[in-house]
Amino acid sequence: MSSPVLLAEHLSKRFDNGVLAVDDVSLTVYPGETVGIVGESGCGKSTTGKLVLRLLETDSGYVAFDGQNLATHSGQSLRDIRGKLQLVPQNPQTSLNPRLSITEAIAFNLRTHGWAKRDIAPRAASLLDMVGVPASYAHRYPHELSGGQLQRVAIARALSTDPKLIVCDEAVSALDKSVQAQVLNLLVELQNELGIAYLFISHDLGVVEHLSHRVMVMYLGRIVEESTATDLWQNPSHPYTVALFSSVPGPGRERIVLSGELPSPASPPSGCGFRTRCPIAIDECAATRPDPVTVSEGDHHQAACIRVEERVPVAAAMAALA
């Protein structure tokens, strides 16, 4: 296997208000691969993305992009790296400058990364064509485009510097379902054509399953389960993942409604962070924080739950309580 384009180890971030947003998170993304991070709002997904991009500084841990430790770079050298490490944010209506035409928005990114003036206009036109925005829109302003068209422009802007990795932070959540599908298909086509890797952050399991090769499930700042998308969909093993999957409509699927509120990340529960909402929690769950347990060797499927370690059939046990 090739070397990872992104390697993050033991990332942690606590904000000044005491919130522990990210707690010992490690992940890898390989060239041409999509890794999804899924979880409820407030679980730390977007903060993880910002740590990876070094938009936030880590309290502890290590981020390497293309073999280079981001913490050792600043100024122009960090800017050069960021040309290959780009972001597609959630809302293009706020991420695109309303005073710049869509061509100017792409040109600004190219100028920032040192492109020659004569090459900028042809490059911008080529990118808009690549993402399916008509040439006649080139000099329009953001308020003149639909949400789907704006997100295509945001993708074109991210592509402008030939990135190796794009962090997609809830990149389709603000779009209608039909438009979501079009943008997701575009991302897949671009990956197949250009070999880009994605770190895809979303609260929508269906979106993540559609796009991702591997998926990481996050709860209260920690990764509680990780697997290939196919194996995770067929065999969710952490109680939180089982509950998440039960909320996706499907034939014969019994909805598991979790009781209680999401604990405060400023004061998480002892032991397993999910135990206060878990239908099959036992006393031991409060005593120690669970380490990941191998569920399936071939799919590198792991879940951080002592009931999985006991080989309790978690999905069946939770369905019986639904």
Side-chain angles (χ1 to χ4, degrees):
M1 183 178 288
S2 60
S3 299
V5 66
L6 176 72
L7 171 64
E9 294 188 338
H10 306 297
L11 301 182
S12 293
K13 181 65 179 181
R14 187 184 294 274
F15 292 110
D16 292 342
N17 61 3
V19 169
L20 182 60
V22 176
D23 185 8
D24 195 25
V25 167
S26 298
L27 60 91
T28 56
V29 184
Y30 288 89
E33 180 185 39
T34 299
V35 173
I37 302 181
V38 67
E40 295 171 282
S41 296
C43 72
K45 308 184 301 295
S46 292
T47 302
T48 300
K50 291 174 181 176
L51 294 176
V52 162
L53 291 162
R54 207 180 150 194
L55 297 176
L56 289 173
E57 299 293 343
T58 63
D59 294 336
S60 60
Y62 169 92
V63 179
F65 175 73
D66 215 14
Q68 300 184 71
N69 183 351
L70 291 189
T72 64
H73 291 266
S74 61
Q76 185 59 49
S77 66
L78 181 59
R79 190 176 297 115
D80 291 342
I81 290 174
R82 280 182 170 156
K84 302 300 179 184
L85 178 60
Q86 290 284 296
L87 169 69
V88 176
Q90 177 177 0
N91 190 346
Q93 303 217 3
T94 57
S95 67
L96 293 171
N97 189 330
R99 297 186 177 185
L100 297 180
S101 70
I102 61 175
T103 293
E104 289 168 339
I106 297 171
F108 181 85
N109 205 33
L110 291 168
R111 284 195 299 271
T112 299
H113 291 282
W115 277 63
K117 185 177 180 179
R118 65 179 180 276
D119 297 329
I120 288 177
R123 174 65 171 165
S126 173
L127 287 163
L128 291 175
D129 180 65
M130 186 182 296
V131 300
V133 175
S136 59
Y137 286 32
H139 299 294
R140 294 190 183 185
Y141 288 82
H143 71 274
E144 299 178 280
L145 277 67
S146 69
Q149 290 167 339
L150 285 176
Q151 199 61 300
R152 287 172 184 267
V153 174
I155 293 168
R157 182 179 59 179
L159 290 172
S160 63
T161 53
D162 292 322
K164 292 186 176 182
L165 173 73
I166 296 178
V167 176
C168 300
D169 187 5
E170 298 280 9
V172 297
S173 64
L175 306 177
D176 293 339
K177 286 294 183 184
S178 60
V179 180
Q180 276 189 13
Q182 294 170 15
V183 174
L184 289 173
N185 289 336
L186 172 64
L187 290 171
V188 172
E189 291 168 8
L190 292 169
Q191 185 173 63
N192 292 337
E193 180 181 347
L194 304 174
I196 306 167
Y198 298 127
L199 181 63
F200 195 88
I201 297 166
S202 179
H203 65 275
D204 189 324
L205 270 170
V207 167
V208 169
E209 192 270 340
H210 175 78
L211 194 68
S212 302
H213 299 98
R214 289 188 292 122
V215 179
M216 308 177 78
V217 181
M218 200 166 187
Y219 183 84
L220 212 61
R222 289 181 60 80
I223 302 300
V224 297
E225 188 161 4
E226 178 179 2
S227 177
T228 63
T230 300
D231 194 53
L232 189 71
W233 196 264
Q234 294 174 350
N235 184 30
S237 297
H238 190 281
Y240 176 62
T241 312
V242 172
L244 276 184
F245 272 85
S246 78
S247 67
V248 179
R253 187 171 289 138
E254 191 76 33
R255 176 70 187 269
I256 297 169
V257 180
L258 297 174
S259 61
E261 298 293 327
L262 183 71
S264 168
S267 182
S270 63
C272 173
F274 184 61
R275 67 176 176 81
T276 57
R277 302 172 72 196
C278 181
I280 61 169
I282 56 178
D283 291 344
E284 287 82 350
C285 296
T288 183
R289 190 159 78 171
D291 292 322
V293 176
T294 297
V295 178
S296 171
E297 290 281 2
D299 292 297
H300 305 288
H301 188 166
Q302 294 187 322
C305 173
I306 63 171
R307 305 308 306 274
V308 173
E309 187 174 16
E310 294 169 1
R311 299 304 170 190
V312 171
V314 170
M318 292 182 66
L321 296 171

